[in-house]
Amino acid sequence: MSKSNKTFSFELFPPKTDKGFENLKKTVGILNQKSPEFFSVTYGAGGSTQDTTFKTVDWLREEGIETAPHLSCIGSSSNEILDILNRYRNQGIKRIVALRGDLPSGAGLGSLGDLNYANELVELMRADFGDEFIIEVAAYPEFHPQATSAQDDLSNFKRKVISGANSAITQYFYSADAYFAFVDNCEKSGITIPIVPGIMPITNYTQLARFSDACGAEIPRWIRKRLESYGDDIDSIKAFGKEVVTAMCQRLLDNNVPGLHFYTMNQSAPTLAIWDDLNL
Ligand code: FAD
């Protein structure tokens, strides 16, 4: 299968410990052999992971690897955001994943910062940096958990596109139909930027279920039931997870998605297992 016209990318989170960082280096060493378009690095809202995100980005850049730092605006001032963007520009970074982010529960309104939504961050970036960055934004085929309605969520996604986003990466999902329906609605409302599916390998049911409930990603009942039935049998969870996610990726690729973005969770094996089965 030719990957020439598709964008494949891998997402990392900034490790907190030296051991985690060593593991990240190994993961990147392995996944980089697949020649992805870029590695992205997440960023905690309000700058909570700023030091570790910078450390991870700095290392990737030293290795000459195309890097797309995530940048969330909630809880930060515009000047803080601009300082970070200047730093990235000076490092030769070309691509940013621009997000609102989430404040920790219990944070007061006073901690919101200057920008309330991701479209305002995209606007700020375009106003101050013109076309210097390729701007990726988040998209939610199963809708953002705080969305007031499906239509409002689509309109809000469109705001980011109008503000200057080049491309979008979706929240993960396990229903290709949800993605196709979302893209269809986007096209009907005049959104033409590439919308790259975010792919989350399945390696652990309890964690995935908790995380999915929080971020509004649905695990279809038949998948939940099968995963539940394996209990603590991690090998069976991984084997079934690989089968399900690979089949979904294949269907997405057969239907001309613009690429795939893997949420690696800093592990190479689950992503590679899917990648190799897809013969990418
Ligand atoms: P927005 O696009 O601003 O949307 C947030 C909510 O507000 C939606 O319900 C939307 O409908 C509504 N809304 C948007 N604009 C407006 C407006 N102008 N007026 C009224 N309502 C509006 N989180 C992190 O903390 N760090 C990360 O590195 C990170 N990386 C991510 C990467 C991807 C690919 C994805 C899909 C998510 C990521 N997240 C990350 C999670 C993300 O920060 C949360 O989902 C957050 O709640 C929303 O961010 P957003 O950029 O999508 O927000």
Side-chain angles (χ1 to χ4, degrees):
M1 183 185 307
S2 158
K3 47 180 276 212
S4 54
N5 57 349
K6 297 198 189 293
T7 303
F8 294 95
S9 49
F10 297 128
E11 182 167 313
L12 306 165
F13 64 84
K16 289 194 186 114
T17 62
D18 290 347
K19 194 169 165 229
F21 200 63
E22 287 312 308
N23 172 61
L24 176 135
K25 287 179 178 175
K26 275 192 209 131
T27 295
V28 171
I30 295 168
L31 292 179
N32 200 33
Q33 291 170 20
K34 303 298 174 189
S35 307
E37 191 86 5
F38 61 90
F39 282 84
S40 80
V41 184
T42 62
Y43 182 82
S48 57
T49 68
Q50 182 162 297
D51 291 347
T52 48
T53 296
F54 284 171
K55 182 177 167 185
T56 308
V57 169
D58 291 352
W59 176 77
L60 288 162
R61 292 302 294 147
E62 279 157 28
E63 294 294 308
I65 292 171
E66 243 1 273
T67 309
H70 295 208
L71 181 57
S72 56
C73 60
I74 200 93
S76 298
S77 69
S78 299
N79 282 338
E80 282 165 339
I81 297 280
L82 292 173
D83 284 348
I84 295 172
L85 288 166
N86 271 312
R87 182 187 203 276
Y88 287 149
R89 179 187 42 196
N90 295 340
Q91 284 183 295
I93 281 168
K94 298 271 180 299
R95 190 186 296 258
I96 300 282
V97 183
L99 302 148
R100 182 196 71 175
D102 292 305
L103 280 179
S105 55
L109 277 180
S111 49
L112 281 177
D114 291 339
L115 308 170
N116 294 317
Y117 296 106
N119 69 292
E120 296 168 26
L121 172 59
V122 177
E123 264 167 38
L124 179 76
M125 290 178 71
R126 288 295 178 224
D128 278 61
F129 293 90
D131 287 334
E132 285 187 79
F133 292 112
I134 297 168
I135 304 179
E136 305 272 353
V137 290
Y140 300 85
E142 294 173 340
F143 308 108
H144 185 266
Q146 291 156 2
T148 38
S149 71
Q151 191 48 47
D152 283 352
D153 212 30
L154 183 65
S155 306
N156 290 330
F157 177 55
K158 192 169 179 178
R159 286 178 206 262
K160 298 195 274 195
V161 179
I162 292 168
S163 302
N166 297 99
S167 179
I169 300 171
T170 75
Q171 182 59 278
Y172 67 85
F173 53 84
Y174 297 105
S175 158
D177 288 327
Y179 169 85
F180 293 135
F182 177 72
V183 170
D184 214 39
N185 276 335
C186 286
E187 281 167 6
K188 283 185 188 135
S189 75
I191 296 169
T192 56
I193 62 167
I195 300 173
V196 174
I199 305 298
M200 178 74 88
I202 299 175
T203 55
N204 174 319
Y205 175 60
T206 320
Q207 246 177 13
L208 183 72
R210 198 178 330 115
F211 194 52
S212 301
D213 287 345
C215 71
E218 191 165 286
I219 308 176
R221 181 180 159 84
W222 70 276
I223 298 180
R224 263 185 194 263
K225 288 283 170 200
R226 286 284 296 274
L227 291 170
E228 272 168 15
S229 74
Y230 297 126
D232 293 334
D233 178 357
I234 293 291
D235 288 344
S236 296
I237 290 175
K238 285 184 180 169
F240 174 68
K242 185 184 87 153
E243 189 186 309
V244 165
V245 178
T246 305
M248 183 182 75
C249 289
Q250 190 62 63
R251 199 173 153 217
L252 292 168
L253 291 166
D254 290 346
N255 284 277
N256 290 325
V257 290
L260 297 174
H261 176 82
F262 288 91
Y263 294 102
T264 71
M265 305 306 284
N266 292 2
Q267 297 175 47
S268 58
T271 293
L272 268 191
I274 298 166
W275 182 282
D276 290 342
D277 271 12
L278 291 169
N279 286 321
L280 289 171

